[in-house]
Amino acid sequence: MMAPGAAPALKHLAQNGAAEAIHVENLHKKFGELHVLKGVSLSARDGEVIAIIGGSGSGKSTLLRCINCLENPTSGIIRVNGEEIKLKADSHGHTVPADRKQIERIRSKLGMVFQNFNLWSHMTLIENVIEVPVHVLGVKREVAIAEAEKLLTRVGLAEKRDVYPAYLSGGQQQRAAIARALAINPRVMLFDEPTSALDPELVGEVLKVIGDLAREGRTMVLVTHEMKFAREVATHVVYLYNGLVEEEGPPEQIFGAPKSERLKQFIRNIG
Amino acid sequence: MVGLLHTIEIAIGATCLGLLIGIGGAYGKLYGGPVVRDLLAVYTTVVRAVPELVLILLLYYAGTDLINQVLAALGYQRIDISGLAAGIAVLGFVQGAYSTEVIRGAILAIPQGQIEAARAYGMSPGLLLRRITLPAMLPFAIPGLANLWLIATKDTALLAVVGFYELTLATRQAAGVTKAYLTFYLAAGAIYLLVTLISNLIIGRIEARARRGMPSLKEAR
Ligand SMILES: Nc1ncnc2c1ncn2[C@@H]1O[C@H](COP(=O)(O)OP(=O)(O)O)[C@@H](O)[C@H]1O
Ligand SMILES: [Mg+2]
């Protein structure tokens, strides 16, 4: 499908034959008068780790939230798992999902990890992890529990399975949130600044878990300010500036030989 | 004793009905369209502005009359509405207005991210309400709802004015017959107190369960 004349923004896809898990094309998002995304395109093939970097307010979270329809895009195309999200205009002229069932189906393929963890506070860790498999995906409870125990072990929280989130450190909560995301066996993991709310000494333990996932070939879209980490795990880096993709490419190019002045300055300031 | 039983029956019925109305009302106020929100605002404002006694008289007489007129218009027989059903309906309607506000506040107190996470994982609105919103708002709602329950047990006394046989009316009759006013009213007072004490015990249990995920304030000090 990749014609020789394809936009340079999508060029990296041509090198990779894997199926496309997420495809975003010319995405616009307005909050009232505020034009936050001004035509962003993005693609994640199976096994790719896409890191999104950019200054505060550049639209990184909005982009991620549009992918699983926590925000409704103003215009543009989003395909997840090969399925294009159907949108329609409501009576006020806002774009809204046309098919709620489709949105729910798509969302259950995407494992979202939030900056503030957002674990359900009235459930223990194990209950948090089995919640979606049991109640949304219809997995048998015993099966879900066995799986959840494995996942909690993986993120190093096996002995905390019956503890409520409020009794845990931020790093532990975020690792549990990653286990919750893995429990749905997602096609793609979405991370929105997963370490930004953590004390510095807790960042490492969370990055290690995410890094392991990346190395074993999980498809991920990762918004992060951890440049060193992004350089290490990403297969492709997208630099967002003011609602547009200012520059993108493999990490060696973005961090080693950036072209855009803004990107150079951004890396200087943050690194 | 029958009086006490009726009192408790009505209080439970009214509180349950009030809770249902309250959940619906709170959802409507938070997520409903402008028309729904306006209607609910009128409901909660009016019900909370008018004295309960007046509301009870109004709803009981006007309500039964209205139902019978509708039935007559549709060509059915007039029915005698049982005092119990009417009492529950009337008090439940009143309780619903207060519950709406208590539950609305409690839902607003839930960290928004928890609701967002549920949506992000594909929960349908119904599942989200049942699995996340209701249990997560409970710790914030219980003190207010517990108040409402205690008020409901006592508001049942107001139903005496429409001739419903509950604890207060039973007491008045017994006292009137025996002339032992002090004894009977003291006994009635003691029974109300007992109901409150037992309620407090049960509510304490429920609250401890609802707050299970929250570190206690003592530990935080
Ligand atoms: N729900 C919203 N309503 C109005 N403005 C919003 C909303 N969410 C985000 N914004 C605005 O959109 C811009 C981009 O936000 P965001 O995507 O969160 O940026 P980033 O994650 O890159 O820091 C910001 O100016 C922010 O204030
Ligand atoms: Mg953000």
Side-chain angles (χ1 to χ4, degrees), chain A residues 135-147:
Chain A
H135 293 279
V136 178
L137 305 175
V139 175
K140 271 225 198 72
R141 202 180 165 79
E142 308 80 70
V143 178
I145 288 179
E147 186 60 26

Side-chain angles (χ1 to χ4, degrees), chain A residues 67 71 133 160 170 193 221:
Chain A
I67 292 175
E71 303 287 358
K160 301 283 185 195
E193 298 194 28
V221 179

Side-chain angles (χ1 to χ4, degrees), chain A residues 31 34 36 55-63 71 193:
Chain A
F31 291 108
L34 188 66
V36 175
S56 175
S58 56
K60 306 179 299 294
S61 298
T62 307
L63 171 59
E71 303 287 358
E193 298 194 28

Side-chain angles (χ1 to χ4, degrees), chain B residues 60-77:
Chain B
Y60 184 78
Y61 289 115
T64 47
D65 199 44
L66 194 71
I67 291 175
N68 274 324
Q69 272 183 15
V70 169
L71 284 178
L74 294 174
Y76 291 102
Q77 290 265 298

Side-chain angles (χ1 to χ4, degrees), chain A residues 101-119:
Chain A
K101 284 270 166 267
Q102 184 201 29
I103 300 295
E104 284 162 13
R105 186 167 63 236
I106 284 177
R107 282 173 173 167
S108 65
K109 293 265 181 283
L110 299 171
M112 180 95 169
V113 176
F114 300 86
Q115 186 171 348
N116 294 309
F117 334 130
N118 296 345
L119 292 170

